[in-house]
Amino acid sequence: MDKHTVLVTGGAGFIGSHACVELLQAGFNVVVVDNLSNSKLESLKRVEQITGKTLQFYQADIRDKTALTDIFAKESIATVIHFAGLKAVGESCEQPLNYYHNNVYGTLVLLEAMSEANVKQLVFSSSATVYQPSETGQYSESLPLGAINPYGRSKVMVEDILRDVAAVDKIKPNGAPWKVALLRYFNPIGAHESGMIGEDPNGIPNNLMPYVSQVAIGNLKQLSVYGNDYATPDGTGIRDYIHVVDLVKGHIKAIEAIESDKFSGGGCKAYNLGTGKGYSVLDIVNTFEAVTGRKILYQFAPRRAGDLAECFANPALADKELNWIADKDLEDMIADTWNWQVKNPQGYVD
Ligand code: NAD
Ligand code: WQD
């Protein structure tokens, strides 16, 4: 494949930093734009140490049109992977305008800058939260959308915008068509096998895996298991956890698909990135204990508002059209999370 330059928005973050490693190792040139609102520059220094390669970093906000226009003028970018955005569901309910401003307005500014620079290949970080809750717990791309919180709605809005933008090419062809892959992530966890980059949440983690990991290292006292009365085998919530390195490999497969005949006429297509397997909260606790030898103290607590009993992917479409399947199992995900945690007990220190 013709290797070229990829602009990674939000490249200093959890998933973005892992994507930079895989892109550099696959031979792409990498340009990162990040405002460091939820990350540290240290993550990108570690990316360079892991790969022995350099990347170009711009500290800028994607809502800053002038900054983006300058980046597109200076770098010969072929494809954008768009990770930048805010991602905490609870916070989005308290600060909806901030979420719509960063995630929706930010994407609009990015799309305008891309359009003006005639860069029309985009891989977008969407989420399983875009789906309307379904009884079965399993989600295929054809199921109806209907997010239930501002964060999820910001992702649905961006997906809608991207479908509209790509549809214009069919009505009124104008040069190279837009080629857009919407990647709907399930629950990304784990870390690079080196333990040099990983998830570094600010303050007390909202998500299960970083919380468990911080209980294990002694930063937090005990886990609250939100609900033990769900209609699941052990009563706790079931999710589809996916290793972050598998997840970012899906992005490289998406770039390859975008540049192949599959996207020759342009278009916008959504793909689930998950393993297709569900694990309960207690499965996670028990496997974490087995893999690390650490005891995870926990107590049962009431259900968390907005949580579903079960959520796992049907990942068949990504297998069929992107030639991508997740490779790593839950033990790998936990071993790599723990390796990162032990090597970086306080996360990144700039
Ligand atoms: P993250 O917070 O670690 O990374 C996001 C990065 O974007 C951060 O480095 C942050 O500083 C940057 N950023 C935020 N707003 C910005 C702005 N306006 N301009 C420039 N940079 C900005 O989050 P992550 O877990 O790596 O998630 C990456 C993407 O994947 C997000 O869009 C998120 O919504 C999506 N996603 C994440 C998950 C998950 O569980 N982690 C699941 C589904 C989807
Ligand atoms: C997993 C399970 C909790 C914490 C969220 C977002 C979603 C996506 C990924 C971005 C659930 C239980 C959790 C704790 C617990 N992000 N839990 N105690 O809720 O599936 O998804 O992150 O797109 O949009 O909603 O992930 O890790 O928070 O929870 O018992 O302290 O762990 O109830 O069953 P979730 P999570």
Side-chain angles (χ1 to χ4, degrees):
M1 196 181 71
D2 178 30
K3 302 298 180 197
H4 56 214
T5 303
V6 178
L7 174 66
V8 183
T9 76
F14 169 43
I15 304 171
S17 56
H18 289 81
C20 290
V21 167
E22 293 305 313
L23 287 163
L24 287 168
Q25 286 178 339
F28 291 93
N29 302 316
V30 173
V31 177
V32 169
V33 58
D34 198 304
N35 64 2
L36 303 181
S37 62
N38 197 38
S39 53
K40 297 203 176 78
L41 193 53
E42 179 63 19
S43 66
L44 293 177
K45 293 187 184 151
R46 306 259 182 111
V47 167
E48 296 189 330
Q49 284 168 23
I50 292 168
T51 59
K53 296 185 177 184
T54 55
L55 53 76
Q56 187 64 44
F57 174 62
Y58 293 90
Q59 184 169 351
D61 195 296
I62 54 162
R63 294 165 293 181
D64 180 345
K65 178 76 181 296
T66 310
L68 287 191
T69 303
D70 282 354
I71 295 170
F72 281 105
K74 281 198 192 111
E75 311 284 347
S76 63
I77 291 156
T79 303
V80 177
I81 305 183
H82 179 30
F83 294 109
L86 304 179
K87 63 164 181 176
V89 171
E91 189 181 66
S92 79
C93 299
E94 289 156 19
Q95 308 172 13
L97 291 179
N98 196 22
Y99 271 67
Y100 292 124
H101 206 262
N102 271 275
N103 295 4
V104 181
Y105 174 70
T107 304
L108 282 178
V109 174
L110 173 69
L111 293 174
E112 283 169 8
M114 287 178 69
S115 192
E116 285 163 20
N118 204 27
V119 175
K120 292 174 147 186
Q121 299 192 153
L122 178 69
V123 178
F124 173 62
S125 294
S126 190
S127 168
T129 39
V130 297
Y131 291 113
Q132 189 176 301
S134 131
E135 281 295 302
T136 68
Q138 193 190 39
Y139 293 86
S140 298
E141 292 81 353
S142 54
L143 285 185
L145 303 187
I148 55 170
N149 54 62
Y151 165 71
R153 279 191 281 276
S154 77
K155 293 289 180 189
V156 175
M157 287 177 194
V158 171
E159 283 204 2
D160 282 339
I161 289 166
L162 289 169
R163 277 184 283 269
D164 287 344
V165 166
V168 175
D169 294 319
K170 299 240 177 325
I171 307 164
K172 195 178 155 197
N174 177 24
W178 280 91
K179 299 179 178 184
V180 181
L182 311 172
L183 301 184
R184 296 178 181 156
Y185 312 158
F186 281 69
N187 290 56
I189 60 169
H192 189 263
E193 61 178 6
S194 64
M196 288 177 67
I197 56 172
E199 187 169 9
D200 180 21
N202 267 332
I204 296 174
N206 297 310
N207 295 115
L208 180 64
M209 185 53 67
Y211 203 106
V212 168
S213 182
Q214 291 202 20
V215 170
I217 200 84
N219 289 348
L220 294 169
K221 199 163 155 279
Q222 71 172 344
L223 171 74
S224 290
V225 175
Y226 297 138
N228 62 346
D229 56 354
Y230 285 108
T232 60
D234 66 20
T236 67
I238 288 179
R239 297 291 182 274
D240 184 339
Y241 298 93
I242 173 169
H243 197 295
V244 63
V245 172
D246 278 337
L247 185 88
V248 298
K249 285 182 174 161
H251 294 62
I252 293 184
K253 292 290 193 179
I255 294 177
E256 286 172 6
I258 275 176
E259 296 190 332
S260 74
D261 291 349
K262 288 173 191 150
F263 270 77
S264 59
C268 176
K269 286 211 71 171
Y271 299 97
N272 286 340
L273 295 187
T275 64
K277 293 191 200 78
Y279 290 98
S280 73
V281 178
L282 293 182
D283 289 335
I284 297 292
V285 169
N286 294 334
T287 312
F288 205 100
E289 290 186 342
V291 169
T292 65
R294 295 285 175 121
K295 187 91 196 114
I296 307 298
L297 203 60
Y298 69 84
Q299 61 177 5
F300 290 117
R303 292 180 180 193
R304 187 172 64 178
D307 271 358
L308 304 171
E310 209 168 350
C311 176
F312 60 99
N314 175 351
L317 192 66
D319 183 6
K320 184 167 165 245
E321 296 191 4
L322 303 182
N323 189 26
W324 173 89
I325 51 167
D327 201 33
K328 294 176 187 280
D329 62 18
L330 187 60
E331 279 78 11
D332 299 326
M333 302 183 213
I334 290 176
D336 288 338
T337 300
W338 186 233
N339 185 33
W340 152 256
Q341 183 73 73
V342 168
K343 288 183 174 159
N344 305 271
Q346 305 305 325
Y348 293 113
V349 182
D350 253 337

